[in-house]
Amino acid sequence: MSKKLVLLMTMILCAIFLVACNSEEGNAAKAKSNEPLVMVWYPNESGSEMAGARDAFGRIFEEVTGRKVEQKLTTDYAIAIESIASGNAQVAFMGPQGYIEANNKSAEVQPIVVPSGSSGTLEDAVYYSWLAVPKEKADGYKVNGEFALDTIAGKKFSFVSASSTSGFKVPSSSIIAHFTKQDAYKALKQDDLIEANALFPEVLFGDSHQGSAVNMMMGRADVAAFCDTCVSAYVELVEGKENTAGAIYRVKDDAAAPFNNLTGEEFVLISSTPVLNSPFVVNTSALTEEEITKLTELLISDETTNDQTIFVPKDSGEIGLFYKSGDERFVKVEDTWFDPIRKLSE
């Protein structure tokens, strides 16, 4: 047999093999499309009071993909992060720090959209990381009439989770930047704040933003870190300007668990820091390119923007994950948008 004939036969066999492989991959993708689309949620969004908001996303995702949507609820940030990184969940709504941790575990985890600010753009796509104390003790956190970080030294402190952006990464970064300028704390590192340390004799984790706030209001912690959006369904502003130091918030009379036994309790913000908005992310190895495109286009569509079960009118009194007071909508986002959060760990 001539060398040319051997080469020709080899090329034919390779072509057949590639066609077979592509056919198998196509069949696998089709088979995958018949399986449930799993959405994983952080503990903050896993409460029963958020069921309607979660179901609203399940409904529209099911319509656009043709796949039954399965809601995976969690009690721990790490479970949600591992679920999306492993591909056991295909879609997740998570904070910037959680996304970065999931992306570090698997580069296939990528963001698709974030909720905009009231401008409808990324320019004001932020929420706020709060440090809060009980109202009756607020004056003890002032120096010369102004709230000051120096006053939290020696206090019992509650964070949310070590994987929380606004409930750990951002506040701990600010705390370290402030106190390491002082000789007594110059050796303190961000990771030291995960447990009792030279600055905080006791450190608690609420496992959710709601849990961290409750730690403070129940007296388990003196100061708590948590974000505005995760407690907005339970509290209302009663004095001052929202998201600014000195603002006073009160637990609503009809607040659901875990605030139902704390109605009427008030707390004061001693610090408020803007944080990049949280993304919806996908595992690109667990979804087809077509499915990812459909999900992205669905979320940024005018139909979703105007869906009041997705963007709940702010003054409606209804509980939602996202609220509309202006031109809020979902906008596309890329991995590099979260680099400022990555730098907090450098």
Side-chain angles (χ1 to χ4, degrees):
M1 187 179 294
S2 70
K3 290 182 178 180
K4 288 184 178 180
L5 184 57
V6 170
L7 179 60
L8 178 61
M9 291 179 66
T10 300
M11 292 173 65
I12 292 173
L13 288 172
C14 287
I16 293 172
F17 177 77
L18 288 172
V19 169
C21 288
N22 289 334
S23 177
E24 289 177 4
E25 289 176 0
N27 290 334
K30 290 178 182 178
K32 184 185 295 183
S33 69
N34 294 325
E35 297 175 359
L37 178 71
V38 180
M39 297 178 61
V40 65
W41 300 94
Y42 271 180
N44 315 307
E45 291 79 39
S46 290
S48 58
E49 74 282 358
M50 293 292 180
R54 294 190 302 266
D55 289 344
F57 283 96
R59 171 180 54 79
I60 64 172
F61 283 9
E62 192 166 307
E63 288 175 2
V64 77
T65 64
R67 296 170 63 173
K68 180 179 175 59
V69 172
E70 180 181 309
Q71 308 273 5
K72 182 178 177 65
L73 310 183
T74 65
T75 56
D76 190 296
Y77 276 52
I79 295 173
I81 292 167
E82 184 58 36
S83 294
I84 190 69
S86 66
N88 288 329
Q90 292 84 47
V91 184
F93 177 66
M94 57 202 322
Q97 178 61 27
Y99 159 65
I100 290 167
E101 291 182 19
N103 176 260
N104 287 341
K105 288 175 176 286
S106 171
E108 281 77 24
V109 178
Q110 291 291 317
I112 53 174
V113 301
V114 296
S116 75
S118 60
S119 70
T121 71
L122 288 176
E123 291 298 318
D124 54 351
V126 297
Y127 63 113
Y128 290 85
S129 172
W130 289 351
L131 296 187
V133 300
K135 179 186 175 184
E136 64 272 17
K137 298 181 180 179
D139 285 344
Y141 295 87
K142 292 180 178 179
V143 175
N144 297 324
E146 300 290 335
F147 289 108
L149 273 183
D150 285 332
T151 60
I152 67 175
K155 302 297 186 181
K156 294 183 293 183
F157 201 100
S158 178
F159 291 109
V160 174
S161 162
S163 294
S164 172
T165 311
S166 56
F168 181 75
K169 187 61 66 173
V170 168
S172 64
S173 177
S174 297
I175 289 167
I176 290 296
H178 178 84
F179 281 98
T180 52
K181 295 174 183 176
Q182 303 175 24
D183 289 342
Y185 306 109
K186 63 182 179 181
L188 202 63
K189 304 295 183 185
Q190 195 172 44
D191 287 346
D192 294 334
L193 300 188
I194 293 175
E195 56 188 7
N197 55 79
L199 185 62
F200 303 133
E202 186 175 350
V203 174
L204 295 82
F205 284 92
D207 296 324
S208 68
H209 288 266
Q210 296 92 331
S212 186
V214 168
N215 278 343
M216 176 267 298
M217 286 188 278
M218 292 290 290
R220 302 183 192 117
D222 300 308
V223 187
F226 53 97
C227 80
D228 63 322
T229 57
C230 289
V231 300
S232 62
Y234 313 91
V235 306
E236 57 191 355
L237 179 71
V238 294
E239 188 177 322
K241 183 179 179 182
E242 65 180 11
N243 295 316
T244 60
I248 301 173
Y249 288 82
R250 175 184 176 275
V251 178
K252 296 177 181 177
D253 292 337
D254 59 351
F259 295 89
N260 53 314
N261 294 321
L262 294 165
T263 57
E265 291 292 321
E266 296 182 340
F267 61 86
V268 178
L269 306 189
I270 63 171
S271 173
S272 181
T273 306
V275 183
L276 295 177
N277 270 352
S278 301
F280 273 97
V281 308
V282 296
N283 187 308
T284 59
S285 68
L287 290 173
T288 65
E289 185 175 340
E290 181 182 6
E291 286 174 325
I292 294 170
T293 298
K294 283 183 176 180
L295 288 171
T296 305
E297 294 303 318
L298 168 72
L299 287 170
I300 66 173
S301 70
D302 289 341
E303 183 179 358
T304 297
T305 301
N306 297 322
D307 187 336
Q308 294 189 0
T309 66
I310 301 294
F311 284 100
V312 178
K314 190 170 183 179
D315 298 327
S316 67
E318 298 295 322
I319 293 177
L321 289 174
F322 307 100
Y323 293 90
K324 182 179 283 289
S325 59
D327 295 325
E328 289 89 349
R329 63 185 302 130
F330 292 114
V331 291
K332 290 182 181 180
V333 73
E334 296 181 352
D335 172 79
T336 53
W337 194 66
F338 299 99
D339 283 349
I341 303 299
R342 285 190 175 94
K343 291 178 180 178
L344 295 178
S345 299
E346 293 179 354

